[in-house]
Amino acid sequence: MDAQDADHILIPLLDSDFTLAQIAQAPKDGDTRAVLYLTGRHMTLKSEVFAIPARDVKAMLAVDLALVPHNHWEIIGYEPIPSLPRALTLTDDTPLRDHSVIEAFANAIHGLYPWDGFPDAALFTNMLRTPSVLPTHACMTANFPKTESP
């Protein structure tokens, strides 16, 4: 993924729509790591793109963009990067999130995947910018329909 600072990208959701994210710190000097600001904004391919207010940033995540499949996260424009009081800055020991975990997290924000769906039930909560405030649409595993086994 050839991303630049301030690029808006679409992260695919299980309902065939997307959530909006922004590259807050693009890779530099051969590095492939980036800082991603993830929102809870539900988007379609026809949705209008506008600047992300700081209050809409649900998480600040570090990701290795070289591991994201080509054209999987579509760049759809760019806008100013929101100013956050405690912004994430990349260092050599910044933990990176796998792109598939970021996608599961985005789906959980929209209630499309269980909030407690990983072995570490607090994983998504700990990824939030404000862990004490769960997203409105977050649903626990118990709230999802049970599948019948044969």
Side-chain angles (χ1 to χ4, degrees):
M1 173 177 228
D2 190 23
Q4 301 177 54
D5 285 349
D7 280 347
H8 277 197
I9 60 174
L10 294 177
I11 296 180
L13 297 175
L14 295 170
D15 66 359
S16 299
D17 285 338
F18 305 89
T19 200
L20 184 67
Q22 186 171 32
I23 301 294
Q25 184 181 339
K28 297 186 181 10
D29 302 324
D31 193 0
T32 57
R33 299 171 309 142
V35 173
L36 185 73
Y37 286 179
L38 187 74
T39 75
R41 196 180 295 171
H42 203 110
M43 306 282 288
T44 67
L45 291 174
K46 295 180 181 184
S47 296
E48 180 182 355
V49 177
F50 51 90
I52 299 169
R55 69 179 179 276
D56 286 0
V57 177
K58 301 295 183 202
M60 299 175 285
L61 307 166
V63 61
D64 186 340
L65 292 179
L67 301 178
V68 178
H70 183 66
N71 290 334
H72 187 62
W73 290 354
E74 185 177 347
I75 298 171
I76 59 166
Y78 61 93
E79 293 288 341
I81 300 169
S83 178
L84 300 176
R86 290 176 286 138
L88 177 64
T89 303
L90 287 174
T91 63
D92 289 340
D93 60 346
T94 302
L96 299 177
R97 299 289 181 179
D98 185 270
H99 74 279
S100 60
V101 172
I102 293 173
E103 290 179 21
F105 178 55
N107 278 284
I109 287 172
H110 293 282
L112 302 170
Y113 184 85
W115 190 257
D116 57 350
F118 274 71
D120 175 2
L123 176 69
F124 294 154
T125 301
N126 293 331
M127 290 171 66
L128 288 169
R129 196 171 132 220
T130 310
S132 61
V133 181
L134 291 185
T136 306
H137 299 291
C139 294
M140 300 303 168
T141 302
N143 300 110
F144 277 80
K146 304 279 187 256
T147 55
E148 293 183 33
S149 24

PDB file of all heavy atoms in Angstrom, residues 109-147:
ATOM      1  N   ILE A 109     -16.656  -2.769  16.155  1.00  0.00           N
ATOM      2  CA  ILE A 109     -17.146  -1.411  16.431  1.00  0.00           C
ATOM      3  C   ILE A 109     -18.549  -1.224  15.859  1.00  0.00           C
ATOM      4  O   ILE A 109     -19.398  -0.573  16.458  1.00  0.00           O
ATOM      5  CB  ILE A 109     -16.178  -0.350  15.865  1.00  0.00           C
ATOM      6  CG1 ILE A 109     -14.907  -0.287  16.721  1.00  0.00           C
ATOM      7  CG2 ILE A 109     -16.834   1.027  15.761  1.00  0.00           C
ATOM      8  CD1 ILE A 109     -13.804   0.593  16.147  1.00  0.00           C
ATOM      9  N   HIS A 110     -18.811  -1.850  14.720  1.00  0.00           N
ATOM     10  CA  HIS A 110     -20.103  -1.720  14.043  1.00  0.00           C
ATOM     11  C   HIS A 110     -21.091  -2.819  14.439  1.00  0.00           C
ATOM     12  O   HIS A 110     -22.172  -2.914  13.854  1.00  0.00           O
ATOM     13  CB  HIS A 110     -19.895  -1.718  12.530  1.00  0.00           C
ATOM     14  CG  HIS A 110     -19.170  -0.509  12.042  1.00  0.00           C
ATOM     15  ND1 HIS A 110     -19.778   0.714  11.898  1.00  0.00           N
ATOM     16  CD2 HIS A 110     -17.871  -0.320  11.715  1.00  0.00           C
ATOM     17  CE1 HIS A 110     -18.888   1.603  11.477  1.00  0.00           C
ATOM     18  NE2 HIS A 110     -17.721   1.000  11.369  1.00  0.00           N
ATOM     19  N   GLY A 111     -20.737  -3.672  15.389  1.00  0.00           N
ATOM     20  CA  GLY A 111     -21.642  -4.719  15.831  1.00  0.00           C
ATOM     21  C   GLY A 111     -21.748  -5.888  14.886  1.00  0.00           C
ATOM     22  O   GLY A 111     -22.677  -6.693  14.978  1.00  0.00           O
ATOM     23  N   LEU A 112     -20.787  -6.028  13.979  1.00  0.00           N
ATOM     24  CA  LEU A 112     -20.815  -7.103  12.990  1.00  0.00           C
ATOM     25  C   LEU A 112     -19.969  -8.306  13.395  1.00  0.00           C
ATOM     26  O   LEU A 112     -19.988  -9.342  12.729  1.00  0.00           O
ATOM     27  CB  LEU A 112     -20.326  -6.573  11.633  1.00  0.00           C
ATOM     28  CG  LEU A 112     -21.126  -5.399  11.060  1.00  0.00           C
ATOM     29  CD1 LEU A 112     -20.419  -4.800   9.860  1.00  0.00           C
ATOM     30  CD2 LEU A 112     -22.525  -5.855  10.691  1.00  0.00           C
ATOM     31  N   TYR A 113     -19.216  -8.153  14.460  1.00  0.00           N
ATOM     32  CA  TYR A 113     -18.341  -9.199  14.980  1.00  0.00           C
ATOM     33  C   TYR A 113     -18.382  -9.064  16.504  1.00  0.00           C
ATOM     34  O   TYR A 113     -18.474  -7.950  17.018  1.00  0.00           O
ATOM     35  CB  TYR A 113     -16.913  -8.996  14.443  1.00  0.00           C
ATOM     36  CG  TYR A 113     -15.942 -10.079  14.846  1.00  0.00           C
ATOM     37  CD1 TYR A 113     -15.838 -11.253  14.106  1.00  0.00           C
ATOM     38  CD2 TYR A 113     -15.117  -9.921  15.961  1.00  0.00           C
ATOM     39  CE1 TYR A 113     -14.948 -12.249  14.479  1.00  0.00           C
ATOM     40  CE2 TYR A 113     -14.224 -10.915  16.330  1.00  0.00           C
ATOM     41  CZ  TYR A 113     -14.138 -12.070  15.580  1.00  0.00           C
ATOM     42  OH  TYR A 113     -13.261 -13.049  15.948  1.00  0.00           O
ATOM     43  N   PRO A 114     -18.308 -10.175  17.234  1.00  0.00           N
ATOM     44  CA  PRO A 114     -18.405 -10.075  18.694  1.00  0.00           C
ATOM     45  C   PRO A 114     -17.266  -9.253  19.312  1.00  0.00           C
ATOM     46  O   PRO A 114     -16.102  -9.463  18.987  1.00  0.00           O
ATOM     47  CB  PRO A 114     -18.321 -11.524  19.168  1.00  0.00           C
ATOM     48  CG  PRO A 114     -18.529 -12.368  17.973  1.00  0.00           C
ATOM     49  CD  PRO A 114     -18.179 -11.553  16.774  1.00  0.00           C
ATOM     50  N   TRP A 115     -17.634  -8.346  20.189  1.00  0.00           N
ATOM     51  CA  TRP A 115     -16.651  -7.499  20.866  1.00  0.00           C
ATOM     52  C   TRP A 115     -15.684  -8.357  21.683  1.00  0.00           C
ATOM     53  O   TRP A 115     -14.503  -8.062  21.779  1.00  0.00           O
ATOM     54  CB  TRP A 115     -17.362  -6.477  21.755  1.00  0.00           C
ATOM     55  CG  TRP A 115     -16.423  -5.447  22.267  1.00  0.00           C
ATOM     56  CD1 TRP A 115     -15.884  -5.364  23.527  1.00  0.00           C
ATOM     57  CD2 TRP A 115     -15.867  -4.358  21.528  1.00  0.00           C
ATOM     58  NE1 TRP A 115     -15.024  -4.288  23.605  1.00  0.00           N
ATOM     59  CE2 TRP A 115     -15.006  -3.650  22.391  1.00  0.00           C
ATOM     60  CE3 TRP A 115     -16.020  -3.903  20.213  1.00  0.00           C
ATOM     61  CZ2 TRP A 115     -14.295  -2.521  21.994  1.00  0.00           C
ATOM     62  CZ3 TRP A 115     -15.316  -2.778  19.816  1.00  0.00           C
ATOM     63  CH2 TRP A 115     -14.461  -2.099  20.695  1.00  0.00           C
ATOM     64  N   ASP A 116     -16.181  -9.443  22.225  1.00  0.00           N
ATOM     65  CA  ASP A 116     -15.356 -10.340  23.032  1.00  0.00           C
ATOM     66  C   ASP A 116     -15.021 -11.620  22.265  1.00  0.00           C
ATOM     67  O   ASP A 116     -14.865 -12.690  22.835  1.00  0.00           O
ATOM     68  CB  ASP A 116     -16.068 -10.671  24.344  1.00  0.00           C
ATOM     69  CG  ASP A 116     -17.450 -11.280  24.128  1.00  0.00           C
ATOM     70  OD1 ASP A 116     -17.956 -11.277  22.985  1.00  0.00           O
ATOM     71  OD2 ASP A 116     -18.031 -11.764  25.102  1.00  0.00           O
ATOM     72  N   GLY A 117     -14.872 -11.507  20.963  1.00  0.00           N
ATOM     73  CA  GLY A 117     -14.702 -12.671  20.087  1.00  0.00           C
ATOM     74  C   GLY A 117     -13.307 -13.263  20.013  1.00  0.00           C
ATOM     75  O   GLY A 117     -13.106 -14.266  19.339  1.00  0.00           O
ATOM     76  N   PHE A 118     -12.323 -12.685  20.669  1.00  0.00           N
ATOM     77  CA  PHE A 118     -10.962 -13.225  20.675  1.00  0.00           C
ATOM     78  C   PHE A 118     -10.702 -13.907  22.009  1.00  0.00           C
ATOM     79  O   PHE A 118     -11.377 -13.622  22.996  1.00  0.00           O
ATOM     80  CB  PHE A 118      -9.945 -12.098  20.449  1.00  0.00           C
ATOM     81  CG  PHE A 118      -9.703 -11.790  18.994  1.00  0.00           C
ATOM     82  CD1 PHE A 118     -10.663 -11.164  18.221  1.00  0.00           C
ATOM     83  CD2 PHE A 118      -8.497 -12.123  18.392  1.00  0.00           C
ATOM     84  CE1 PHE A 118     -10.441 -10.879  16.886  1.00  0.00           C
ATOM     85  CE2 PHE A 118      -8.260 -11.840  17.058  1.00  0.00           C
ATOM     86  CZ  PHE A 118      -9.230 -11.224  16.300  1.00  0.00           C
ATOM     87  N   PRO A 119      -9.717 -14.800  22.074  1.00  0.00           N
ATOM     88  CA  PRO A 119      -9.403 -15.448  23.358  1.00  0.00           C
ATOM     89  C   PRO A 119      -9.168 -14.443  24.490  1.00  0.00           C
ATOM     90  O   PRO A 119      -9.581 -14.683  25.624  1.00  0.00           O
ATOM     91  CB  PRO A 119      -8.147 -16.263  23.051  1.00  0.00           C
ATOM     92  CG  PRO A 119      -8.272 -16.576  21.597  1.00  0.00           C
ATOM     93  CD  PRO A 119      -8.904 -15.349  20.996  1.00  0.00           C
ATOM     94  N   ASP A 120      -8.514 -13.334  24.176  1.00  0.00           N
ATOM     95  CA  ASP A 120      -8.388 -12.240  25.147  1.00  0.00           C
ATOM     96  C   ASP A 120      -9.627 -11.373  24.961  1.00  0.00           C
ATOM     97  O   ASP A 120      -9.682 -10.539  24.061  1.00  0.00           O
ATOM     98  CB  ASP A 120      -7.114 -11.443  24.898  1.00  0.00           C
ATOM     99  CG  ASP A 120      -6.999 -10.215  25.791  1.00  0.00           C
ATOM    100  OD1 ASP A 120      -7.889  -9.980  26.635  1.00  0.00           O
ATOM    101  OD2 ASP A 120      -6.014  -9.464  25.617  1.00  0.00           O
ATOM    102  N   ALA A 121     -10.631 -11.584  25.792  1.00  0.00           N
ATOM    103  CA  ALA A 121     -11.921 -10.895  25.637  1.00  0.00           C
ATOM    104  C   ALA A 121     -11.807  -9.379  25.744  1.00  0.00           C
ATOM    105  O   ALA A 121     -12.678  -8.649  25.283  1.00  0.00           O
ATOM    106  CB  ALA A 121     -12.917 -11.409  26.663  1.00  0.00           C
ATOM    107  N   ALA A 122     -10.714  -8.874  26.313  1.00  0.00           N
ATOM    108  CA  ALA A 122     -10.526  -7.426  26.464  1.00  0.00           C
ATOM    109  C   ALA A 122      -9.665  -6.836  25.347  1.00  0.00           C
ATOM    110  O   ALA A 122      -9.346  -5.642  25.382  1.00  0.00           O
ATOM    111  CB  ALA A 122      -9.896  -7.120  27.814  1.00  0.00           C
ATOM    112  N   LEU A 123      -9.301  -7.636  24.349  1.00  0.00           N
ATOM    113  CA  LEU A 123      -8.418  -7.155  23.276  1.00  0.00           C
ATOM    114  C   LEU A 123      -8.944  -5.875  22.639  1.00  0.00           C
ATOM    115  O   LEU A 123      -8.232  -4.871  22.555  1.00  0.00           O
ATOM    116  CB  LEU A 123      -8.239  -8.240  22.213  1.00  0.00           C
ATOM    117  CG  LEU A 123      -7.411  -7.816  20.993  1.00  0.00           C
ATOM    118  CD1 LEU A 123      -5.948  -7.625  21.386  1.00  0.00           C
ATOM    119  CD2 LEU A 123      -7.540  -8.835  19.879  1.00  0.00           C
ATOM    120  N   PHE A 124     -10.191  -5.880  22.185  1.00  0.00           N
ATOM    121  CA  PHE A 124     -10.733  -4.702  21.500  1.00  0.00           C
ATOM    122  C   PHE A 124     -10.889  -3.525  22.455  1.00  0.00           C
ATOM    123  O   PHE A 124     -10.625  -2.383  22.078  1.00  0.00           O
ATOM    124  CB  PHE A 124     -12.066  -5.027  20.820  1.00  0.00           C
ATOM    125  CG  PHE A 124     -11.956  -6.002  19.680  1.00  0.00           C
ATOM    126  CD1 PHE A 124     -13.028  -6.785  19.325  1.00  0.00           C
ATOM    127  CD2 PHE A 124     -10.787  -6.152  18.943  1.00  0.00           C
ATOM    128  CE1 PHE A 124     -12.962  -7.686  18.266  1.00  0.00           C
ATOM    129  CE2 PHE A 124     -10.694  -7.052  17.886  1.00  0.00           C
ATOM    130  CZ  PHE A 124     -11.785  -7.819  17.551  1.00  0.00           C
ATOM    131  N   THR A 125     -11.311  -3.796  23.661  1.00  0.00           N
ATOM    132  CA  THR A 125     -11.447  -2.717  24.645  1.00  0.00           C
ATOM    133  C   THR A 125     -10.104  -2.028  24.854  1.00  0.00           C
ATOM    134  O   THR A 125     -10.025  -0.799  24.892  1.00  0.00           O
ATOM    135  CB  THR A 125     -11.990  -3.265  25.976  1.00  0.00           C
ATOM    136  OG1 THR A 125     -13.267  -3.870  25.728  1.00  0.00           O
ATOM    137  CG2 THR A 125     -12.140  -2.162  27.012  1.00  0.00           C
ATOM    138  N   ASN A 126      -9.043  -2.812  24.944  1.00  0.00           N
ATOM    139  CA  ASN A 126      -7.708  -2.251  25.156  1.00  0.00           C
ATOM    140  C   ASN A 126      -7.156  -1.534  23.920  1.00  0.00           C
ATOM    141  O   ASN A 126      -6.211  -0.764  24.029  1.00  0.00           O
ATOM    142  CB  ASN A 126      -6.739  -3.343  25.614  1.00  0.00           C
ATOM    143  CG  ASN A 126      -7.088  -3.858  26.989  1.00  0.00           C
ATOM    144  OD1 ASN A 126      -7.638  -3.138  27.819  1.00  0.00           O
ATOM    145  ND2 ASN A 126      -6.789  -5.120  27.237  1.00  0.00           N
ATOM    146  N   MET A 127      -7.746  -1.763  22.758  1.00  0.00           N
ATOM    147  CA  MET A 127      -7.321  -1.069  21.538  1.00  0.00           C
ATOM    148  C   MET A 127      -7.976   0.309  21.417  1.00  0.00           C
ATOM    149  O   MET A 127      -7.501   1.159  20.664  1.00  0.00           O
ATOM    150  CB  MET A 127      -7.660  -1.924  20.305  1.00  0.00           C
ATOM    151  CG  MET A 127      -6.799  -3.170  20.195  1.00  0.00           C
ATOM    152  SD  MET A 127      -7.341  -4.344  18.910  1.00  0.00           S
ATOM    153  CE  MET A 127      -7.066  -3.421  17.415  1.00  0.00           C
ATOM    154  N   LEU A 128      -9.056   0.527  22.144  1.00  0.00           N
ATOM    155  CA  LEU A 128      -9.778   1.797  22.065  1.00  0.00           C
ATOM    156  C   LEU A 128      -8.941   2.955  22.590  1.00  0.00           C
ATOM    157  O   LEU A 128      -8.177   2.805  23.543  1.00  0.00           O
ATOM    158  CB  LEU A 128     -11.077   1.721  22.869  1.00  0.00           C
ATOM    159  CG  LEU A 128     -12.197   0.882  22.292  1.00  0.00           C
ATOM    160  CD1 LEU A 128     -13.297   0.702  23.332  1.00  0.00           C
ATOM    161  CD2 LEU A 128     -12.743   1.495  21.015  1.00  0.00           C
ATOM    162  N   ARG A 129      -9.145   4.110  22.008  1.00  0.00           N
ATOM    163  CA  ARG A 129      -8.507   5.335  22.500  1.00  0.00           C
ATOM    164  C   ARG A 129      -8.994   5.648  23.911  1.00  0.00           C
ATOM    165  O   ARG A 129      -8.239   6.100  24.759  1.00  0.00           O
ATOM    166  CB  ARG A 129      -8.849   6.476  21.534  1.00  0.00           C
ATOM    167  CG  ARG A 129      -7.982   7.662  21.710  1.00  0.00           C
ATOM    168  CD  ARG A 129      -8.232   8.649  20.575  1.00  0.00           C
ATOM    169  NE  ARG A 129      -8.396   9.944  21.172  1.00  0.00           N
ATOM    170  CZ  ARG A 129      -9.251  10.842  20.827  1.00  0.00           C
ATOM    171  NH1 ARG A 129     -10.086  10.633  19.841  1.00  0.00           N
ATOM    172  NH2 ARG A 129      -9.312  11.993  21.448  1.00  0.00           N
ATOM    173  N   THR A 130     -10.271   5.411  24.168  1.00  0.00           N
ATOM    174  CA  THR A 130     -10.866   5.592  25.489  1.00  0.00           C
ATOM    175  C   THR A 130     -11.491   4.257  25.894  1.00  0.00           C
ATOM    176  O   THR A 130     -12.671   4.005  25.624  1.00  0.00           O
ATOM    177  CB  THR A 130     -11.930   6.713  25.461  1.00  0.00           C
ATOM    178  OG1 THR A 130     -11.376   7.873  24.852  1.00  0.00           O
ATOM    179  CG2 THR A 130     -12.422   7.038  26.861  1.00  0.00           C
ATOM    180  N   PRO A 131     -10.701   3.387  26.548  1.00  0.00           N
ATOM    181  CA  PRO A 131     -11.196   2.046  26.873  1.00  0.00           C
ATOM    182  C   PRO A 131     -12.432   2.013  27.771  1.00  0.00           C
ATOM    183  O   PRO A 131     -13.149   1.017  27.783  1.00  0.00           O
ATOM    184  CB  PRO A 131     -10.004   1.389  27.581  1.00  0.00           C
ATOM    185  CG  PRO A 131      -8.815   2.158  27.117  1.00  0.00           C
ATOM    186  CD  PRO A 131      -9.300   3.561  26.894  1.00  0.00           C
ATOM    187  N   SER A 132     -12.709   3.077  28.474  1.00  0.00           N
ATOM    188  CA  SER A 132     -13.878   3.081  29.353  1.00  0.00           C
ATOM    189  C   SER A 132     -15.186   3.341  28.605  1.00  0.00           C
ATOM    190  O   SER A 132     -16.262   3.236  29.183  1.00  0.00           O
ATOM    191  CB  SER A 132     -13.704   4.131  30.453  1.00  0.00           C
ATOM    192  OG  SER A 132     -13.581   5.416  29.882  1.00  0.00           O
ATOM    193  N   VAL A 133     -15.095   3.659  27.311  1.00  0.00           N
ATOM    194  CA  VAL A 133     -16.299   3.958  26.519  1.00  0.00           C
ATOM    195  C   VAL A 133     -16.394   2.978  25.346  1.00  0.00           C
ATOM    196  O   VAL A 133     -15.722   3.154  24.326  1.00  0.00           O
ATOM    197  CB  VAL A 133     -16.270   5.414  25.987  1.00  0.00           C
ATOM    198  CG1 VAL A 133     -17.532   5.713  25.198  1.00  0.00           C
ATOM    199  CG2 VAL A 133     -16.087   6.409  27.118  1.00  0.00           C
ATOM    200  N   LEU A 134     -17.228   1.956  25.506  1.00  0.00           N
ATOM    201  CA  LEU A 134     -17.419   1.001  24.411  1.00  0.00           C
ATOM    202  C   LEU A 134     -18.247   1.639  23.303  1.00  0.00           C
ATOM    203  O   LEU A 134     -19.142   2.451  23.582  1.00  0.00           O
ATOM    204  CB  LEU A 134     -18.134  -0.256  24.905  1.00  0.00           C
ATOM    205  CG  LEU A 134     -17.374  -1.177  25.842  1.00  0.00           C
ATOM    206  CD1 LEU A 134     -18.194  -2.432  26.132  1.00  0.00           C
ATOM    207  CD2 LEU A 134     -16.021  -1.547  25.288  1.00  0.00           C
ATOM    208  N   PRO A 135     -17.986   1.261  22.047  1.00  0.00           N
ATOM    209  CA  PRO A 135     -18.804   1.785  20.941  1.00  0.00           C
ATOM    210  C   PRO A 135     -20.275   1.417  21.123  1.00  0.00           C
ATOM    211  O   PRO A 135     -20.598   0.356  21.677  1.00  0.00           O
ATOM    212  CB  PRO A 135     -18.222   1.090  19.709  1.00  0.00           C
ATOM    213  CG  PRO A 135     -16.842   0.684  20.118  1.00  0.00           C
ATOM    214  CD  PRO A 135     -16.918   0.398  21.585  1.00  0.00           C
ATOM    215  N   THR A 136     -21.135   2.272  20.656  1.00  0.00           N
ATOM    216  CA  THR A 136     -22.579   2.103  20.788  1.00  0.00           C
ATOM    217  C   THR A 136     -23.073   0.768  20.251  1.00  0.00           C
ATOM    218  O   THR A 136     -23.958   0.147  20.834  1.00  0.00           O
ATOM    219  CB  THR A 136     -23.307   3.243  20.041  1.00  0.00           C
ATOM    220  OG1 THR A 136     -22.801   4.476  20.520  1.00  0.00           O
ATOM    221  CG2 THR A 136     -24.797   3.183  20.228  1.00  0.00           C
ATOM    222  N   HIS A 137     -22.499   0.316  19.127  1.00  0.00           N
ATOM    223  CA  HIS A 137     -22.990  -0.900  18.472  1.00  0.00           C
ATOM    224  C   HIS A 137     -22.260  -2.170  18.896  1.00  0.00           C
ATOM    225  O   HIS A 137     -22.561  -3.245  18.372  1.00  0.00           O
ATOM    226  CB  HIS A 137     -22.909  -0.752  16.952  1.00  0.00           C
ATOM    227  CG  HIS A 137     -23.738   0.375  16.430  1.00  0.00           C
ATOM    228  ND1 HIS A 137     -25.109   0.368  16.452  1.00  0.00           N
ATOM    229  CD2 HIS A 137     -23.379   1.575  15.902  1.00  0.00           C
ATOM    230  CE1 HIS A 137     -25.559   1.507  15.951  1.00  0.00           C
ATOM    231  NE2 HIS A 137     -24.533   2.255  15.618  1.00  0.00           N
ATOM    232  N   ALA A 138     -21.316  -2.063  19.820  1.00  0.00           N
ATOM    233  CA  ALA A 138     -20.568  -3.247  20.257  1.00  0.00           C
ATOM    234  C   ALA A 138     -21.523  -4.292  20.834  1.00  0.00           C
ATOM    235  O   ALA A 138     -22.392  -3.976  21.639  1.00  0.00           O
ATOM    236  CB  ALA A 138     -19.527  -2.852  21.300  1.00  0.00           C
ATOM    237  N   CYS A 139     -21.350  -5.530  20.391  1.00  0.00           N
ATOM    238  CA  CYS A 139     -22.187  -6.647  20.861  1.00  0.00           C
ATOM    239  C   CYS A 139     -21.285  -7.766  21.357  1.00  0.00           C
ATOM    240  O   CYS A 139     -20.291  -8.093  20.718  1.00  0.00           O
ATOM    241  CB  CYS A 139     -23.054  -7.190  19.734  1.00  0.00           C
ATOM    242  SG  CYS A 139     -24.296  -6.050  19.137  1.00  0.00           S
ATOM    243  N   MET A 140     -21.665  -8.362  22.449  1.00  0.00           N
ATOM    244  CA  MET A 140     -20.903  -9.474  23.006  1.00  0.00           C
ATOM    245  C   MET A 140     -21.315 -10.781  22.325  1.00  0.00           C
ATOM    246  O   MET A 140     -22.383 -10.872  21.723  1.00  0.00           O
ATOM    247  CB  MET A 140     -21.125  -9.572  24.514  1.00  0.00           C
ATOM    248  CG  MET A 140     -20.709  -8.336  25.283  1.00  0.00           C
ATOM    249  SD  MET A 140     -18.968  -7.958  24.971  1.00  0.00           S
ATOM    250  CE  MET A 140     -18.863  -6.325  25.657  1.00  0.00           C
ATOM    251  N   THR A 141     -20.482 -11.786  22.454  1.00  0.00           N
ATOM    252  CA  THR A 141     -20.742 -13.095  21.836  1.00  0.00           C
ATOM    253  C   THR A 141     -22.133 -13.618  22.200  1.00  0.00           C
ATOM    254  O   THR A 141     -22.833 -14.166  21.351  1.00  0.00           O
ATOM    255  CB  THR A 141     -19.662 -14.117  22.276  1.00  0.00           C
ATOM    256  OG1 THR A 141     -18.387 -13.592  21.899  1.00  0.00           O
ATOM    257  CG2 THR A 141     -19.863 -15.455  21.632  1.00  0.00           C
ATOM    258  N   ALA A 142     -22.547 -13.418  23.432  1.00  0.00           N
ATOM    259  CA  ALA A 142     -23.850 -13.901  23.886  1.00  0.00           C
ATOM    260  C   ALA A 142     -25.010 -13.268  23.127  1.00  0.00           C
ATOM    261  O   ALA A 142     -26.099 -13.850  23.081  1.00  0.00           O
ATOM    262  CB  ALA A 142     -24.003 -13.637  25.386  1.00  0.00           C
ATOM    263  N   ASN A 143     -24.783 -12.097  22.512  1.00  0.00           N
ATOM    264  CA  ASN A 143     -25.840 -11.408  21.782  1.00  0.00           C
ATOM    265  C   ASN A 143     -25.958 -11.867  20.324  1.00  0.00           C
ATOM    266  O   ASN A 143     -26.903 -11.487  19.633  1.00  0.00           O
ATOM    267  CB  ASN A 143     -25.630  -9.903  21.801  1.00  0.00           C
ATOM    268  CG  ASN A 143     -25.622  -9.356  23.206  1.00  0.00           C
ATOM    269  OD1 ASN A 143     -24.584  -8.931  23.701  1.00  0.00           O
ATOM    270  ND2 ASN A 143     -26.757  -9.400  23.871  1.00  0.00           N
ATOM    271  N   PHE A 144     -24.991 -12.662  19.852  1.00  0.00           N
ATOM    272  CA  PHE A 144     -25.029 -13.138  18.483  1.00  0.00           C
ATOM    273  C   PHE A 144     -25.842 -14.427  18.410  1.00  0.00           C
ATOM    274  O   PHE A 144     -25.854 -15.212  19.368  1.00  0.00           O
ATOM    275  CB  PHE A 144     -23.602 -13.380  17.955  1.00  0.00           C
ATOM    276  CG  PHE A 144     -22.951 -12.135  17.444  1.00  0.00           C
ATOM    277  CD1 PHE A 144     -22.382 -11.219  18.331  1.00  0.00           C
ATOM    278  CD2 PHE A 144     -22.909 -11.852  16.100  1.00  0.00           C
ATOM    279  CE1 PHE A 144     -21.798 -10.056  17.881  1.00  0.00           C
ATOM    280  CE2 PHE A 144     -22.324 -10.683  15.627  1.00  0.00           C
ATOM    281  CZ  PHE A 144     -21.764  -9.794  16.512  1.00  0.00           C
ATOM    282  N   PRO A 145     -26.524 -14.654  17.298  1.00  0.00           N
ATOM    283  CA  PRO A 145     -27.330 -15.889  17.179  1.00  0.00           C
ATOM    284  C   PRO A 145     -26.436 -17.128  17.317  1.00  0.00           C
ATOM    285  O   PRO A 145     -25.308 -17.134  16.834  1.00  0.00           O
ATOM    286  CB  PRO A 145     -27.925 -15.812  15.774  1.00  0.00           C
ATOM    287  CG  PRO A 145     -27.645 -14.449  15.269  1.00  0.00           C
ATOM    288  CD  PRO A 145     -26.581 -13.845  16.111  1.00  0.00           C
ATOM    289  N   LYS A 146     -26.939 -18.108  17.973  1.00  0.00           N
ATOM    290  CA  LYS A 146     -26.221 -19.374  18.134  1.00  0.00           C
ATOM    291  C   LYS A 146     -26.346 -20.173  16.847  1.00  0.00           C
ATOM    292  O   LYS A 146     -27.410 -20.239  16.242  1.00  0.00           O
ATOM    293  CB  LYS A 146     -26.805 -20.189  19.295  1.00  0.00           C
ATOM    294  CG  LYS A 146     -26.807 -19.444  20.605  1.00  0.00           C
ATOM    295  CD  LYS A 146     -25.462 -19.495  21.265  1.00  0.00           C
ATOM    296  CE  LYS A 146     -25.483 -18.918  22.644  1.00  0.00           C
ATOM    297  NZ  LYS A 146     -24.917 -17.622  22.785  1.00  0.00           N
ATOM    298  N   THR A 147     -25.252 -20.784  16.430  1.00  0.00           N
ATOM    299  CA  THR A 147     -25.308 -21.664  15.273  1.00  0.00           C
ATOM    300  C   THR A 147     -25.482 -23.094  15.782  1.00  0.00           C
ATOM    301  O   THR A 147     -24.903 -23.488  16.787  1.00  0.00           O
ATOM    302  CB  THR A 147     -24.021 -21.569  14.427  1.00  0.00           C
ATOM    303  OG1 THR A 147     -22.909 -21.831  15.267  1.00  0.00           O
ATOM    304  CG2 THR A 147     -23.893 -20.201  13.810  1.00  0.00           C
TER     305      THR A 147
END
